[in-house]
Amino acid sequence: MTGQLKICIHRGTREIGGSCVELEYEGKRIVVDLGLPLNAELEATELPNMPSIHSPDGSLLGLLLSHGHRDHWGLLPKLPSGINVHLGRRTLSIMAAAAPFVPGGYVPPSAVAYEDKKTFDLGPFRITPHLMDHSGFDAYGFLIEAGGRRLYYSGDIRGHGRKAALFGRFLVAPPTDIDVLLMEGSSLGRLAAVERFETENEIENRLLETMRRTSGIVLVACSAQNIDRVVSVYRAAKRSGRQMLVDAYAAEVLKATDTKSIPKPTDEWPDVKVYIPQAQRRFLKEKNIAALVDKYKGRRVFPEALPEEAAKSVMLIRPWMLRDLAQARALTGASAVWSKWNGYLKEEAGIKFQEACRVASVDFEIIHTSGHADPQDLQRFAEAMKAKKLVPIHTFQPDQFEGLFANVARFVDGEWFHA
């Protein structure tokens, strides 16, 4: 008689971030995501209580990483050596490109790349990754099968991004006979059930309006790893007759996507150029990686050229870069767009950025949409999956699930249950 597939959500039944799920079948285990909780520090955060992580008995067969957001991978640096981390090929490439630039940057030393819809086995577990629409590039959900049971882990999903067609195609032909669906609910509590998030196309059009009415440079504060947003910025820039300027970090991330349709500072994209702020120039020298900018020779815009280039440019920035632009006298007639989560504006960097814009007489506005599915798209997803059991995860509002979805079963962090 075979055993039963058992599941434990170690973190995520009542919070967004810190996602971690363990599956066990006949003494063999896998872990799905190992995230850092929101607003937590790596040094002060312990690994979830998973004895298999530290056990020498070989019961832990590997870890599946759904995508490259820190709330899903942030505790990987505490993972003992020798445990394979399975992740998307482009996710691995972007993590490697970003690691030298970002605090706590990390690349799994034992990385194994998987591909969309290509099934692989880890012991008794059969895993099929499904590429999904999310603000994190190369994001996946997983169909996981063991002992005749079928579990689907949604990962982070949405239906209003630049890969919305992926979401639509998935709903037309989803995996069938799902016993357990672990489904995210990040938007619950943020939107009423009838409200919708703006689409990425709508964001592009709003950016275009700003670019057309701005006489000087347009500064867009967004994550370089939010590739959908970078594409929206580029498309709006092109439609308004402007070039897009990126720093060395964004340039390396864009190249790491290894995707022809993604703008990047190469000969194929003559209207994407590289501006390296003074602090970044020092940083590259200190890290002994200054040579990486050599590949952008002929594509650089230098500080002394900024005043002349400003009126025909859109620049991806981080708040600390504003000082450089002020010193270069490149802010005449400028506009600034905040294109990240609004909550960051309440933190020190966001507060200082708004104040710096005010002092420099730079118009400031917010143009952003969520990386997660709104309630209506979550309902479409759940209805298409027709799971026998729908378990809330990655949400602050698990109590709202029963009113929106069928077959809801709720558990608490650390509780084991059967598929």
Side-chain angles (χ1 to χ4, degrees):
M1 180 177 177
T2 60
Q4 291 181 295
L5 175 61
K6 295 191 291 185
I7 306 152
C8 178
I9 302 173
H10 287 285
R11 188 179 286 126
T13 62
R14 283 193 165 272
E15 68 179 300
I16 296 171
S19 297
C20 181
V21 179
E22 184 178 8
L23 283 73
E24 188 269 335
Y25 179 72
E26 293 192 332
K28 298 299 182 181
R29 302 168 185 267
I30 58 173
V31 173
V32 184
D33 287 339
L34 191 61
L36 183 67
L38 300 179
N39 301 318
E41 298 293 333
L42 176 63
E43 294 76 15
T45 306
E46 297 296 326
L47 287 170
N49 181 25
M50 291 186 287
S52 61
I53 280 185
H54 304 284
S55 174
D57 63 7
S59 62
L60 181 59
L61 304 179
L63 184 143
L64 306 179
L65 178 61
S66 63
H67 65 285
H69 279 163
R70 202 175 293 249
D71 63 330
H72 290 258
W73 69 256
L75 289 179
L76 285 182
K78 294 194 171 184
L79 196 67
S81 62
I83 297 174
N84 285 342
V85 175
H86 299 259
L87 72 173
R89 177 177 63 82
R90 291 179 173 90
T91 298
L92 176 59
S93 182
I94 290 173
M95 290 179 74
F101 291 92
V102 297
Y106 177 78
V107 184
S110 301
V112 181
Y114 56 68
E115 295 185 44
D116 181 34
K117 295 186 179 64
K118 291 194 175 179
T119 299
F120 62 97
D121 294 330
L122 291 177
F125 300 97
R126 173 151 286 191
I127 299 143
T128 307
H130 289 265
L131 183 65
M132 300 300 293
D133 181 24
H134 178 48
S135 57
F137 194 71
D138 203 38
Y140 295 84
F142 299 116
L143 172 64
I144 303 174
E145 304 169 81
R149 310 297 282 177
R150 291 163 61 86
L151 173 143
Y152 193 86
Y153 176 81
S154 75
D156 288 358
I157 54 174
R158 66 175 178 180
H160 58 270
R162 295 218 162 265
K163 299 180 291 298
L166 278 177
F167 185 77
R169 286 198 293 268
F170 184 89
L171 298 190
V172 170
T176 56
D177 300 319
I178 300 300
D179 295 293
V180 175
L181 169 61
L182 302 182
M183 190 181 78
E184 72 121 306
S186 300
S187 66
L188 303 187
R190 297 172 56 195
L191 283 185
V194 296
E195 291 182 305
R196 307 304 304 266
F197 286 126
E198 285 184 279
T199 68
E200 205 63 46
N201 284 331
E202 289 170 331
I203 293 299
E204 176 189 327
N205 288 332
R206 288 181 59 197
L207 288 165
L208 176 61
E209 291 174 7
T210 295
M211 293 175 194
R212 284 178 170 166
R213 70 169 180 259
T214 300
S215 60
I217 194 169
V218 178
L219 310 172
V220 182
C222 75
S223 168
Q225 295 191 45
N226 185 346
I227 305 298
D228 274 16
R229 187 60 41 77
V230 175
V231 171
S232 295
V233 172
Y234 171 79
R235 287 172 56 90
K238 190 172 186 65
R239 290 168 65 189
S240 67
R242 294 172 180 258
Q243 63 188 0
M244 184 172 75
L245 307 182
V246 299
D247 69 348
Y249 164 57
E252 292 297 297
V253 167
L254 291 170
K255 284 185 63 182
T257 63
D258 191 28
T259 302
K260 289 183 178 180
S261 60
I262 303 299
K264 55 187 74 67
T266 62
D267 290 342
E268 291 77 20
W269 300 87
D271 47 2
V272 181
K273 296 182 180 177
V274 178
Y275 168 74
I276 302 179
Q278 182 178 356
Q280 192 171 73
R281 290 198 297 271
R282 291 196 301 266
F283 171 84
L284 294 171
K285 289 179 180 177
E286 291 167 1
K287 288 276 189 177
N288 293 316
I289 55 174
L292 70 79
V293 304
D294 293 344
K295 69 188 81 169
Y296 303 119
K297 189 175 181 180
R299 310 206 60 78
R300 298 273 301 276
V301 172
F302 293 90
E304 56 270 22
L306 276 178
E308 183 180 345
E309 299 284 329
K312 61 178 181 181
S313 300
V314 175
M315 182 183 290
L316 300 186
I317 70 160
R318 279 161 289 160
W320 57 265
M321 293 167 60
L322 198 64
R323 182 184 306 168
D324 262 43
L325 302 177
Q327 290 175 347
R329 301 183 184 278
L331 293 179
T332 302
S335 291
V337 174
W338 187 263
S339 202
K340 304 189 224 183
W341 179 53
N342 294 2
Y344 293 136
L345 288 172
K346 299 176 183 177
E347 298 177 359
E348 184 178 2
I351 293 169
K352 287 183 176 180
F353 181 62
Q354 293 174 87
E355 176 61 14
C357 287
R358 186 191 66 78
V359 169
S361 299
V362 174
D363 291 340
F364 180 89
E365 64 180 315
I366 300 169
I367 302 178
H368 184 55
T369 193
S370 176
H372 296 269
D374 58 38
Q376 290 188 45
D377 276 341
L378 287 174
Q379 287 179 316
R380 292 171 61 205
F381 188 84
E383 288 166 3
M385 295 296 288
K386 296 181 173 61
K388 299 179 181 71
K389 188 184 297 181
L390 189 157
V391 179
I393 191 172
H394 204 58
T395 181
F396 287 123
Q397 304 292 338
D399 54 316
Q400 292 192 17
F401 272 66
E402 281 92 347
L404 294 170
F405 314 109
N407 305 322
V408 174
R410 289 169 54 186
F411 300 94
V412 297
D413 286 359
E415 179 181 1
W416 285 91
F417 59 97
H418 293 114

